[in-house]
Amino acid sequence: MLYALKIATRYLTASKAQTGLLVLGVAVGVFIFIFMSALIGGLAEFILSRTVGDISHVTITAETPDPLILITPQGHILAVTERGRTRTATLAEAATFLPLIETVPGVVAVSPQITGAGFLARGAQVAQVSVTGVEPGRESAILNLDGYMVEGSARLGSGLVVLGQSLADDLSLRLGQTLRLQSSGGVSAVLTLSGTFDTGNGRMDDSSVFVALTTARTLFALPQGVTRIEIKLADLNTADTTALRIRALTGLDAVPWTDGAAQLMEALNAQAQTGYFLKTFALITIVIGVASALLLSTYRRRPEIGIMRAMGAGRGFVIFVFVTQGALIGLMGGVMGAALGYLALLPFPSRDAFEVGTLPMDITQGSYGLAITLTVIGAILASILPARSAARVDPVTAIGQ
């Protein structure tokens, strides 16, 4: 077999220009494969970071109790307690569950919250808002408020409020000014504006208000417990399995973000399928190029093959020579294409530094090893037909040519 490898190497070096062009063609195909892998993978990461990066990956929400029904022994309904318009459901034992949730693998942040509707008033101006009460020090545990601040600080305390910049502009509010926040239950509090943020999400910037958890307890008359617990994960793709672990550990109904993102997941799957097709076409191009070049080499070397056969070389030996040629071409082209792809992706920012308006290339998703492996396998498969053709050469006829 070492002798067959030597012959295959001699065949490749005998026509260096042809071999160089063939290896370059394979390298270009591998480069396209790696470039598409990095682009599609980076685009998926960019879309997820923009849509899911600032939301809870797993959410535990207090369930509103069913209305009370008074039924007679005969089964007739006498009275039904109507659901209140305000949220009354709470996670009364949230303080007990928080340490357990924080120990679950993959959990990086936990934020107990009290949420509800309210009205923000300054003079005659009134705006309906969504109020979120968070623990001081956990303001940026889920939504990166620190990164979105325009003025002031995201740090919350008693008597302080943080709201969207557009909402502040609508109410002509400036830092340090006071305003009145009234909950849907009628409880109101006078607060001081300590900061404004701009997330780029118009709905959030126009209607979201953040206060300290103690302030929210007063507004919504909840002396203990919370209305929801939001959880941030290191890898948002593990939300389903992590939610199951939290359910088993606490008995609470933990809901992953994927439950409400069916359309987003379908779009990402369609994008991934498109990438598979493009990368498959790149591999097909490599296979066709290697097969055509080796077929040409077979016809050019028919006399040499005939001499080898006349000297006792079996068909398996001849097949091995040409298959080895294909493998060497695939290996050299694969390594060269992977190196070119890696160098081309180096100038692009990492996934944590993606910027709007630039290609979201992720160098870590180039699939370099997979590209080289598939290229070598494809080149070997492409060389089988030329190898079988060479093995069928009749020694007498070939030598006579």
Side-chain angles (χ1 to χ4, degrees):
M1 294 302 176
L2 291 177
Y3 184 63
L5 177 62
K6 182 177 180 180
I7 294 176
T9 305
R10 289 285 299 273
Y11 280 171
L12 291 176
T13 56
S15 180
K16 296 181 180 178
Q18 178 181 335
T19 301
L21 287 175
L22 184 56
V23 171
L24 180 61
V26 173
V28 170
V30 174
F31 175 83
I32 295 174
F33 183 96
I34 290 174
F35 189 86
M36 293 305 302
S37 297
L39 175 60
I40 293 172
L43 185 58
E45 291 289 339
F46 180 75
I47 293 174
L48 285 176
S49 66
R50 288 294 176 180
T51 56
V52 189
D54 283 329
I55 69 172
S56 172
H57 298 157
V58 178
T59 304
I60 302 173
T61 305
E63 297 181 359
T64 302
D66 294 330
L68 298 177
I69 302 176
L70 182 60
I71 304 176
T72 65
Q74 292 75 26
H76 301 294
I77 298 177
L78 296 179
V80 178
T81 304
E82 186 178 355
R83 288 181 184 269
R85 299 185 63 183
T86 60
R87 179 192 294 267
T88 57
T90 60
L91 296 167
E93 300 179 357
T96 303
F97 294 125
L98 291 180
L100 295 176
I101 296 173
E102 290 174 340
T103 61
V104 175
V107 173
V108 296
V110 180
S111 176
Q113 302 175 358
I114 294 177
T115 59
F119 298 92
L120 196 62
R122 182 174 184 268
Q125 295 176 300
V126 179
Q128 186 174 359
V129 295
S130 173
V131 183
T132 302
V134 297
E135 283 189 351
R138 302 196 192 204
E139 296 90 350
S140 296
I142 307 300
L143 174 68
N144 184 20
L145 271 182
D146 285 325
Y148 292 126
M149 294 304 296
V150 176
E151 292 181 309
S153 171
R155 294 293 175 263
L156 292 170
S158 179
L160 300 179
V161 62
V162 173
L163 46 84
Q165 180 66 47
S166 56
L167 178 59
D169 292 339
D170 291 341
L171 298 177
S172 301
L173 285 168
R174 295 294 179 266
L175 292 183
Q177 292 183 333
T178 59
L179 50 91
R180 181 176 296 276
L181 179 61
Q182 179 178 326
S183 69
S184 55
V187 181
S188 61
V190 177
L191 306 173
T192 302
L193 179 61
S194 63
T196 59
F197 59 85
D198 183 4
T199 65
N201 183 333
R203 183 177 179 181
M204 176 175 289
D205 297 339
D206 292 340
S207 61
S208 294
V209 171
F210 291 89
V211 297
L213 196 61
T214 53
T215 303
R217 291 192 186 282
T218 301
L219 288 171
F220 296 101
L222 294 175
Q224 62 180 1
V226 295
T227 60
R228 65 189 290 147
I229 298 174
E230 293 191 345
I231 302 165
K232 199 72 169 284
L233 305 179
D235 183 4
L236 55 87
N237 295 313
T238 63
D240 292 330
T241 56
T242 303
L244 291 176
R245 289 182 180 178
I246 294 175
R247 289 177 192 172
L249 185 64
T250 64
L252 300 176
D253 186 20
V255 180
W257 69 270
T258 52
D259 278 11
Q263 292 183 343
L264 174 61
M265 299 304 295
E266 289 177 1
L268 292 176
N269 289 334
Q271 176 183 292
Q273 294 295 329
T274 302
Y276 293 147
F277 279 116
L278 293 175
K279 290 185 284 187
T280 300
F281 291 147
L283 288 176
I284 290 175
T285 302
I286 293 173
V287 170
I288 293 175
V290 173
S292 59
L294 291 181
L295 277 173
L296 179 61
S297 176
T298 300
Y299 289 118
R300 289 178 53 230
R301 301 187 183 280
R302 288 175 68 88
E304 299 175 25
I305 296 172
I307 293 174
M308 282 194 298
R309 292 295 311 280
M311 294 180 64
R315 290 187 175 183
F317 180 86
V318 177
I319 291 176
F320 184 80
V321 169
F322 282 89
V323 169
T324 302
Q325 274 188 267
L328 290 174
I329 292 172
L331 181 60
M332 290 187 292
V335 172
M336 181 184 295
L340 291 175
Y342 182 80
L343 293 175
L345 294 174
L346 274 178
F348 291 93
S350 64
R351 67 169 69 182
D352 297 327
F354 285 158
E355 298 178 359
V356 178
T358 61
L359 283 176
M361 307 291 291
D362 187 358
I363 193 173
T364 63
Q365 298 197 42
S367 302
Y368 307 97
L370 178 63
I372 295 174
T373 301
L374 292 179
T375 300
V376 173
I377 294 174
I380 290 174
L381 295 176
S383 64
I384 290 177
L385 180 60
R388 289 172 62 87
S389 176
R392 288 195 296 266
V393 170
D394 182 67
V396 177
T397 304
I399 293 174
Q401 294 177 349

